[in-house]
Structure formats: C-alpha cells, structure tokens
Amino acid sequence: MAPNGANRRGANRRTVLSAVAGTVATVSVAGCLGGADSEADEPEPGLDQATAVEGDTDPEAWRDVESLRFDGYVGGWLGLEPSAIEGVENPTLVLVEGREYEVTWENKDGIHHNFAFWDDEREVVEDYSTDGTDVEGERETLVFEATAEMDTYRCEYQPAGQKGSVELI
C-alpha cells in the first residue's frame, strides 16, 4: 500500500505545483501586459516623500510665481512651492524669461548638495549655483534671472539623480 500512497502523494504534489505555476504565469503575463487597473504607464517616484513625478506645467499656473522651494535628497529634489510642484520629484520648472526668482532649498539627508542651473552643455549658467552644504536642516537661497540658456537645474554633487528640466515662457 505504501507505493500507491506514495504515488498519490506525488500526484497531489505535482497537481498543486502545476496549479501554482499556472497561477504565477498568468499573473506575470497580466502584469506585463497591463490592464484596465494597471498603472504601469505611470512612473513611480523614487523619493519616499514624493507623491508624483510630474507637476503642473501649464504656463498659467506659473505666471505669478517668484519663489521656489525644495527639499534636497540624494535621490532627487522634492518640490514644495509653488503648488504646481508640491510633492513632485525633480519637477519641471516653468519660468518667465527675464523674470527674477528666488529658489530656497533645505538639506534633508546630511549629504553634500548644492543647487545650480545648467545649460545644454552641462555648464553652470551665469554662476547661478549655491555654495552647497552637507548640514542636515541647513538652507541655501539663490536669486537668479531666468535666461534662455537654462536647460536643467541640478545638484552638482549628484547630477544624475537630482535634476529637473527648465521650460521658459
């Protein structure tokens, strides 16, 4: 009787494993293909504190903006103000060419950061950069005029992760 019992246990085990494998395959394919409830097309923020990776770039939302505020992390810049960038990781800035702005950022992780505007050749535009700090909780402010040369804003110490685009109107 042991051989039959062993075969039944083996058959049951194979049946269970086959069912599990089929379920895993179905879930995997469904996840790859997406579906009505899938959010696969929407990128997820890398910063735990961020709620989005895209802010409001409608020029009307930026017409009266004169100051910007960020928190600085190794993983990226977290937009705080204006409301068009609140909670957004590395948000696109929509600036009026020729207007003066003030950007203030706070070091949130004790890693050395600074804030700089770069042109499309990865050069700082008109010395528009802060000195930088590695003191958690310390803030830096930069007053600048939006110019056509501005392509991105970045941390010069973590330029791959802490960068965002600049659009001029």
Side-chain angles (χ1 to χ4, degrees), residues 1 12 19 38 49 51-53 57 87-88 101 108 112-113 119 121 130 136-138 151 155-156 158 163 169:
M1 190 150 152
N12 287 341
S38 174
Q49 301 80 357
T51 57
V53 293
T57 56
V88 179
Y101 293 89
K108 296 302 264 187
H112 199 223
H113 304 288
D119 61 23
E121 295 181 14
T130 62
E136 187 172 343
E138 191 167 295
D151 182 59
C155 169
E156 294 178 281
Q158 287 84 29
K163 67 177 180 177
I169 53 175

Side-chain angles (χ1 to χ4, degrees), residues 87-98:
V88 179
E89 178 180 339
N90 296 324
T92 297
L93 304 182
V94 181
L95 306 176
V96 177
E97 188 171 356

Side-chain angles (χ1 to χ4, degrees), residues 44-119:
E44 290 291 320
L47 293 176
D48 291 341
Q49 301 80 357
T51 57
V53 293
E54 293 182 18
D56 187 349
T57 56
D58 178 1
E60 285 305 311
W62 291 84
R63 290 272 177 219
D64 297 325
V65 171
E66 294 178 352
S67 62
L68 310 159
R69 214 164 54 87
F70 292 92
D71 281 344
Y73 299 89
V74 167
W77 294 107
L78 178 64
L80 301 175
E81 291 179 5
S83 60
I85 65 170
E86 184 178 354
V88 179
E89 178 180 339
N90 296 324
T92 297
L93 304 182
V94 181
L95 306 176
V96 177
E97 188 171 356
R99 180 178 288 170
E100 187 174 277
Y101 293 89
E102 180 178 279
V103 61
T104 300
W105 70 275
E106 182 176 335
N107 186 313
K108 296 302 264 187
D109 58 12
I111 305 298
H112 199 223
H113 304 288
N114 81 326
F115 191 99
F117 285 99
W118 286 12
D119 61 23

Side-chain angles (χ1 to χ4, degrees), residues 116-120 125 149-154 163-166:
F117 285 99
W118 286 12
D119 61 23
D120 59 359
V125 175
E149 294 80 25
M150 292 176 172
D151 182 59
T152 59
Y153 64 93
R154 300 175 182 245
K163 67 177 180 177
S165 297
V166 175

